[in-house]
Amino acid sequence: MTGDPPNRLLLAAEQVTRIYRVGARALPFTSPPHVSAVQNVTLMLHAGERLGIVGESGSGKSTLGRLLMGFDQPTHGRVLYCGRDIREFSRTERFGFHRAVQMVFQDTHGALNPRLRIFDQVIEPLDVHRLGTRQQRRNRVHDLLSKVGLPAAIAERYPAELSGGQRQRVVIARALALAPKILICDEPTSAADVSVQAQIVNLLDDLAQSERLTLVLVSHSLAVVRHLCTRVAVMHSGCIVEEAPAEVLFHEPLHPYTRALLGASPALARRRRRSTPVQSCTAISSPSGIGCAYASACPDVAELCRSAAPNLIELVPAHHVACHKVTTGRRSEKRIEEDHAGIGA
Ligand SMILES: Nc1ncnc2c1ncn2[C@@H]1O[C@H](COP(=O)(O)OP(=O)(O)O)[C@@H](O)[C@H]1O
Ligand SMILES: [Mg+2]
């Protein structure tokens, strides 16, 4: 359990970029094609927060999750845990980091070893970290299974003998074994059917409170993020295009891509107070690599959008947007307000 004071900065990405090489060289002496899965992302995670990372498939959410976990290394930039670059950790510090930050993946088949009993899989991290006596570890396994709502008898079974929902609970139990401070969940519900999804969401909600977890939820499901998260970052083409407290983002989305994403979610579109223009959220990156990656699909595109990439700017406290149109609009609104105030004075 975390003993951190609320709002302590736990994990941060500082201008993180991850470039992957893909495919082969087209011609000799040419460099192989590459993809910037994550581009210049700066993100902070404070103790007790529940951060949602949303965006369509391929927008870089999982890559960002892996970078935050230290499973993958940034090409540029750095990831800091409690103010220290995670690449500079000593062996002992790295051990501590991997205890404190755990991940739950979507694919429960890949996460569990089909040949090991559930008991052996849940006790494994406790054995690796040599926590307590053998008897204490055994008790902890049963305690963990009960925390995630599974009967003790499950411990004797193999993954193939469980339902998808039960397997996801086992994965969560194992992630909790080392009492992490931060749980990063990558699409934890998308492999499950609707009723199981709701159960997993409620379970994560309860566990975040009872275990005092700081949560990062990577999801393409806006409804799940809305239910669970206090802050949301929207990703598009590897960049964060908008970041705001959840209530603000769902009620007053500013970036045209966020508005399209919310419009494309029927459950949320019904709930939204104001309707906003809905544009296809299948965006094509700027072919030249310069300018805004959303420009080709954006209903509000301006000339500047095609020539210069917008920076993520804090327009109002805690609400960041990367959009030329929104920022220039807000600036001129502000200027008009100031002029009015000047006239009134
Ligand atoms: N290991 C990898 N090698 C090459 N390309 C990758 C790798 N991992 C991810 N990508 C690419 O990076 C982009 C972002 O992928 P990902 O982070 O999985 O997105 P998301 O989780 O939002 O669907 C995609 O274009 C994907 O093909
Ligand atoms: Mg993913």
Side-chain angles (χ1 to χ4, degrees):
M1 252 182 241
T2 173
D4 291 294
N7 302 326
R8 180 184 175 195
L9 181 59
L10 287 182
L11 198 57
E14 262 186 17
Q15 298 184 312
V16 163
T17 293
R18 178 62 168 106
I19 299 171
Y20 292 113
R21 283 184 170 189
V22 287
R25 289 163 202 265
L27 293 167
F29 309 115
T30 58
S31 54
H34 60 266
V35 51
S36 292
V38 169
Q39 281 190 68
N40 202 21
V41 164
T42 294
L43 195 65
M44 286 173 203
L45 184 68
H46 296 87
E49 265 194 315
R50 296 170 175 205
L51 171 69
I53 301 176
V54 300
E56 67 198 87
S57 182
S59 56
K61 307 180 298 295
S62 296
T63 306
L64 182 57
R66 287 198 304 275
L67 291 166
L68 291 174
M69 269 301 295
F71 286 170
D72 196 355
Q73 301 300 326
T75 314
H76 306 291
R78 52 192 198 148
V79 174
L80 305 172
Y81 177 65
C82 296
R84 300 258 331 272
D85 188 334
I86 62 172
R87 277 181 299 198
E88 287 167 10
F89 281 162
S90 65
R91 198 167 170 272
T92 322
E93 286 172 326
R94 196 166 307 121
F95 225 56
F97 173 68
H98 287 304
R99 256 187 86 168
V101 189
Q102 290 283 319
M103 195 154 185
V104 170
F105 296 95
Q106 166 186 0
D107 173 20
T108 56
H109 283 290
L112 296 172
N113 183 335
R115 282 190 282 270
L116 283 184
R117 287 179 312 151
I118 300 305
F119 176 85
D120 297 316
Q121 313 216 31
V122 179
I123 206 167
E124 191 185 17
L126 299 167
D127 286 342
V128 169
H129 286 258
R130 298 203 187 96
L131 292 186
T133 62
R134 182 79 188 157
Q135 189 52 47
Q136 283 170 331
R137 290 178 216 161
R138 296 179 78 85
N139 294 345
R140 173 100 176 121
V141 171
H142 292 122
D143 185 31
L144 286 162
L145 290 178
S146 125
K147 266 188 185 152
V148 298
L150 289 173
I154 287 269
E156 298 312 314
R157 299 214 207 143
Y158 289 86
E161 296 166 348
L162 306 187
S163 70
Q166 286 174 324
R167 275 198 302 275
Q168 191 57 291
R169 285 170 192 266
V170 170
V171 171
I172 294 171
R174 195 175 55 179
L176 295 179
L178 301 173
K181 290 174 193 242
I182 302 174
L183 192 64
I184 301 180
C185 303
D186 189 354
E187 307 276 8
T189 60
S190 47
D193 60 48
V194 175
S195 66
V196 176
Q197 276 183 19
Q199 289 169 18
I200 299 293
V201 167
N202 289 337
L203 175 66
L204 287 172
D205 198 1
D206 293 346
L207 289 171
Q209 282 178 41
S210 64
E211 306 298 297
R212 294 165 68 202
L213 289 168
T214 301
L215 210 62
V216 178
L217 181 70
V218 170
S219 180
H220 68 269
S221 166
L222 293 163
V224 169
V225 166
R226 182 172 191 164
H227 185 86
L228 276 178
C229 296
T230 51
R231 192 156 61 91
V232 184
V234 181
M235 286 192 80
H236 177 267
S237 295
C239 302
I240 293 182
V241 295
E242 185 161 3
E243 188 197 321
E247 270 315 297
V248 174
L249 189 116
F250 285 108
H251 281 122
E252 301 289 340
L254 293 177
H255 197 286
Y257 175 68
T258 313
R259 297 207 306 265
L261 208 58
L262 298 191
S265 166
L268 289 174
R270 271 200 306 276
R271 275 201 251 165
R272 299 244 344 265
R273 279 186 305 188
R274 277 191 305 168
S275 70
T276 43
V278 175
Q279 183 78 9
S280 156
C281 54
T282 330
I284 307 142
S285 298
S286 153
S288 57
I290 51 166
C292 174
Y294 192 56
S296 55
C298 182
D300 300 334
V301 65
E303 210 42 56
L304 179 62
C305 308
R306 302 195 196 275
S307 55
N311 291 322
L312 193 66
I313 290 170
E314 188 170 20
L315 274 191
V316 283
H319 195 160
H320 299 73
V321 190
C323 174
H324 292 306
K325 200 72 192 280
V326 173
T327 36
T328 44
R330 280 290 160 122
R331 277 198 199 112
S332 47
E333 264 175 35
K334 209 168 169 207
R335 216 172 300 130
I336 292 165
E337 273 169 27
E338 280 164 6
D339 289 348
H340 279 297
I343 292 162

